[in-house]
Amino acid sequence: MLFLNAFQKLVFPTNRMKILVGIIILSLLFLGDRLVEWTGGTAYAYVHILYIPIFLAGFTFSMWGGILTGVIAGILMGPHMPTSIEYDLHDPFASWFLRLVMFSLIGCFAGVGAFFFKSYIKELEIKHTLDPLTELPNLNGLTKIFLELTSSSPAVTVIVIEVFHMQEINTAIGSEGVSTLIKQVSAHLKEVTGTDGILGYIQNNRFVILASQDNQYVNILKKCEALSDLSYQVNSIPLFVEMRFGISNFPKDDKSLDHLIRKALIAINLSAREAEHISYFNENISLTSERNLMILHRAKEALANNSFVLEYQPKVFLKTEKIMGFEALIRWNDSLLGPVAPDEFIPLIEGTLLINPFTKWVVETSLSRMSAWYKEGILVPVSINFSIRNFLNPTLFKILEDKLSTQKFSPHFLEIEVTETAVTTSVSSIVEPIKKLRELGMKVLIDDFGTGQASQQYLFELPINGIKLDKVFVQSISHNKAAEAIVKNGISLAHQLNLEVTAEGVETRNQFNLLNQWGCDIAQGYYISRSMSAKKATKWLKERLELERSKKKTKLP
């Protein structure tokens, strides 16, 4: 970096540097004149040392500076400088004048060459610091501007603008259309920024605005709020463009532009989750982001080290209170992070490629436990949870099919659960995968029923076996008429579609009785039992089955 700065100052000298170079050139001319005289005159090679100040003048002061220095050097080596001091010989006019012309031509060529060289360097710098599509400063250009701003301003606000849903837009209008759209967005942002800040484009559909005063960035944000009302049109196709804004501050949040942009993007990710358009970075966000990265890192190690644990929560039939089966629930107690809640680590894993090996581990561990129960003669159905990304992975389906083919028990003992929210956003893409699961002999259940979209059209579009009423509604049925209505309607609708209904989160006898009264099929929750380790679940299952057998015997005549 120091070398590049020194090189830039030499190629494009400041006025102060030009004065210094001018003094050096005059000094070199004087020293050259003295050296030629001390060494005996122009007949010797020392006269060529004067090319140095001539080249330097041409490079620094352009063509005319080189010519002028060449003329001065030619005069110094002209009629007043002997060819040989020892013999008191002088060059004829034609000789020293030709030397003067040659010196001037060398200065001219040095100046012309310097002009083309500097033009080339400027072109490279433009390519290095400007985005070719928008002609706005890129990250390199913004970094240079940022350093200039921070050297003169005590505070700088960094606003990162991210254009969302570009993948869908790219599918609709193609890459050329996206380029046209980015140009249009760039033009609008230029109008918004005006003279209040400096706009740049850092690729990946992200813009950056640098503002050096508080009132400037406030004005910009006010104008940005109006951008959501603007319409864009590419190839006669009207487009809605969603933008989100993340804000970080120098020097409060960081002193590096790269880090400030990263932190503003962290704020944008938070705003996307909370449906906010503008979000400010703070240290709490940073800690959350760092923890998320640590969780993903440790989760990868946990998979490799088999550190995850499956626990099993029982489900019972409401009418008979007999054991129906279990739901396999993942638990994780990390040596560094301590106990990590599934609600915290599973959404993170679902957003990465870890989800497929993670689900593969769940499948293998569940089948291993079911196989052990089968050998003991106590096998009951077990349900496991699938992410929406699992349904789009044919490799996982092949593994599932292969694993089931090696088991002695029927595939219908394994049930697959997927959340309603995931289903309602991807109905068309999971119809065939669900059919495949059904063909393999497994049941498919919609988990967290009631928390998804208002439309429940998917219930007759998907070949599912049942629904699981979300615990938020189940736990409120004793005191909330709205929750009671939702649960009753859910049970009625499911039964009309020949779907089995499971109620999650049953915690009291009153809830259990009400659900039974309304015709719900299966209950799951703390009232029946908390989730248990495989060993405890096996013991619980044996005792429960034994109790059911003894009850059955006492009823016999």
Side-chain angles (χ1 to χ4, degrees):
M1 183 62 72
L2 289 174
F3 172 77
L4 289 175
N5 288 337
F7 177 76
Q8 189 175 32
K9 288 180 180 178
L10 183 62
V11 176
F12 303 105
T14 61
N15 290 333
R16 183 177 296 180
M17 179 64 74
K18 285 182 178 180
I19 292 172
L20 178 61
V21 173
I23 293 171
I24 291 172
I25 290 170
L26 292 174
S27 300
L28 289 174
L29 287 170
F30 174 76
L31 291 174
D33 177 70
R34 295 297 88 201
L35 181 63
V36 171
E37 186 174 346
W38 291 337
T39 54
T42 59
Y44 301 98
Y46 296 104
V47 72
H48 299 299
I49 200 170
L50 292 170
Y51 288 129
I52 295 175
I54 294 171
F55 273 115
L56 189 56
F59 190 84
T60 307
F61 298 103
S62 74
M63 179 181 70
W64 294 109
I67 292 173
L68 178 61
T69 305
V71 170
I72 294 172
I75 292 173
L76 289 174
M77 297 297 106
H80 303 291
M81 180 63 69
T83 305
S84 173
I85 293 176
E86 182 179 357
Y87 298 105
D88 195 25
L89 298 175
H90 290 265
D91 284 335
F93 172 80
S95 179
W96 67 261
F97 184 76
L98 179 61
R99 187 187 298 122
L100 183 148
V101 171
M102 291 302 298
F103 280 169
S104 300
L105 285 174
I106 294 298
C108 176
F109 292 149
V112 171
F115 170 78
F116 286 111
F117 176 74
K118 290 179 180 181
S119 297
Y120 176 69
I121 294 296
K122 281 184 178 179
E123 186 178 347
L124 288 180
E125 186 176 8
I126 288 171
K127 289 180 179 179
H128 184 65
T129 58
L130 285 184
D131 173 69
L133 176 63
T134 61
E135 297 182 352
L136 294 172
N138 58 19
L139 183 57
N140 295 317
L142 286 169
T143 302
K144 184 178 178 182
I145 295 167
F146 176 77
L147 293 173
E148 294 172 357
L149 284 175
T150 53
S151 65
S152 59
S153 178
V156 175
T157 299
V158 177
I159 306 171
V160 176
I161 304 111
E162 184 165 7
V163 182
F164 274 61
H165 309 303
M166 289 305 292
Q167 186 173 353
E168 293 87 342
I169 293 173
N170 185 49
T171 302
I173 62 177
S175 57
E176 289 185 8
V178 168
S179 296
T180 303
L181 176 62
I182 290 296
K183 287 180 180 179
Q184 292 181 19
V185 173
S186 171
H188 283 142
L189 286 172
K190 282 180 184 177
E191 292 178 11
V192 165
T193 306
T195 58
D196 290 331
I198 296 163
L199 177 67
Y201 182 65
I202 57 172
Q203 300 294 336
N204 299 322
N205 314 315
R206 291 167 181 163
F207 295 84
V208 174
I209 297 174
L210 303 178
S212 57
Q213 295 179 13
D214 288 343
N215 64 322
Q216 289 180 333
Y217 99 83
V218 171
N219 291 336
I220 292 169
L221 286 179
K222 285 180 179 178
K223 295 174 185 176
C224 283
E225 291 179 359
L227 288 178
S228 58
D229 298 327
L230 295 176
S231 61
Y232 298 86
Q233 196 161 19
V234 178
N235 299 331
S236 300
I237 300 173
L239 296 172
F240 166 73
V241 175
E242 180 183 355
M243 298 182 202
R244 296 189 186 273
F245 305 86
I247 300 164
S248 58
N249 291 283
F250 166 92
K252 176 186 172 184
D253 298 324
D254 213 292
K255 294 183 179 180
S256 162
L257 181 60
D258 281 342
H259 292 170
L260 288 167
I261 290 173
R262 180 178 62 82
K263 290 180 177 181
L265 286 170
I266 291 173
I268 286 176
N269 290 334
L270 177 67
S271 72
R273 291 197 297 271
E274 297 182 354
E276 295 288 341
H277 282 286
I278 300 173
S279 185
Y280 295 80
F281 175 83
N282 60 58
E283 203 55 42
N284 291 332
I285 295 175
S286 179
L287 292 173
T288 301
S289 179
E290 289 174 5
R291 176 171 171 80
N292 290 346
L293 289 174
M294 178 61 74
I295 286 173
L296 286 173
H297 172 71
R298 299 293 294 176
K300 187 176 181 180
E301 291 187 356
L303 272 178
N305 300 330
N306 202 30
S307 299
F308 288 113
V309 174
L310 276 188
E311 292 190 352
Y312 301 85
Q313 186 173 36
K315 296 185 283 186
V316 300
F317 291 107
L318 279 155
K319 285 186 178 179
T320 63
E321 297 191 24
K322 289 183 178 180
I323 180 71
M324 177 271 162
F326 290 94
E327 180 181 359
L329 301 170
I330 192 85
R331 297 292 183 262
W332 182 26
N333 190 356
D334 185 68
S335 59
L336 182 62
L337 299 171
V340 186
D343 289 346
E344 185 178 14
F345 69 83
I346 289 178
L348 294 175
I349 291 175
E350 285 180 337
T352 71
L353 293 176
L354 280 177
I355 186 59
N356 290 321
F358 176 79
T359 307
K360 178 175 176 286
W361 177 86
V362 172
V363 169
E364 291 174 344
T365 307
S366 300
L367 290 176
S368 175
R369 173 47 44 196
M370 293 170 71
S371 179
W373 285 342
Y374 174 79
K375 290 175 182 177
E376 295 185 56
I378 57 172
L379 178 62
V380 292
V382 173
S383 62
I384 61 175
N385 291 277
F386 261 30
S387 161
I388 197 67
R389 293 183 67 174
N390 295 140
F391 284 94
L392 307 178
N393 180 22
T395 304
L396 185 62
F397 276 68
K398 184 67 171 63
I399 292 171
L400 190 58
E401 185 176 4
D402 292 343
K403 294 291 182 183
L404 283 170
S405 66
T406 63
Q407 304 297 330
K408 295 182 179 180
F409 55 83
S410 171
H412 80 268
F413 279 97
L414 183 65
E415 300 178 347
I416 305 297
E417 296 184 15
V418 59
T419 64
E420 183 182 44
T421 304
V423 166
T424 52
T425 57
S426 311
V427 174
S428 60
S429 61
I430 66 170
V431 171
E432 290 305 318
I434 289 180
K435 286 182 180 178
K436 178 67 174 176
L437 290 173
R438 293 293 304 275
E439 288 170 3
L440 291 174
M442 286 172 279
K443 289 184 177 181
V444 179
L445 310 176
I446 300 300
D447 198 8
D448 300 336
F449 181 83
T451 60
Q453 304 293 324
S455 172
Q456 293 168 348
Q457 180 180 345
Y458 69 89
L459 287 176
F460 61 84
E461 289 183 354
L462 298 177
I464 58 175
N465 299 90
I467 63 170
K468 296 184 73 175
L469 299 171
D470 188 76
K471 63 182 180 181
V472 171
F473 305 113
V474 172
Q475 292 171 359
S476 302
I477 57 175
S478 301
H479 57 273
N480 188 302
K481 291 296 183 182
E484 178 184 331
I486 291 171
V487 169
K488 282 183 176 179
N489 289 334
I491 294 170
S492 175
L493 175 62
H495 284 166
Q496 289 179 44
L497 297 172
N498 295 319
L499 299 177
E500 192 175 58
V501 183
T502 302
E504 293 183 293
V506 180
E507 295 187 344
T508 67
R509 184 69 202 185
N510 185 44
Q511 293 168 1
F512 190 94
N513 290 338
L514 286 173
L515 290 165
N516 185 30
Q517 179 183 329
W518 298 336
C520 186
D521 302 301
I522 299 163
Q524 176 185 347
Y526 289 172
Y527 174 71
I528 297 131
S529 174
R530 292 177 177 269
S531 62
M532 299 170 280
S533 66
K535 184 177 180 180
K536 289 183 178 180
T538 302
K539 182 182 177 183
W540 186 93
L541 180 58
K542 287 179 178 179
E543 291 174 353
R544 190 79 179 207
L545 291 173
E546 183 60 34
L547 180 63
E548 290 176 4
R549 290 192 194 101
S550 62
K551 284 183 178 180
K552 187 176 181 180
K553 287 180 181 178
T554 56
K555 290 182 179 180
L556 293 174

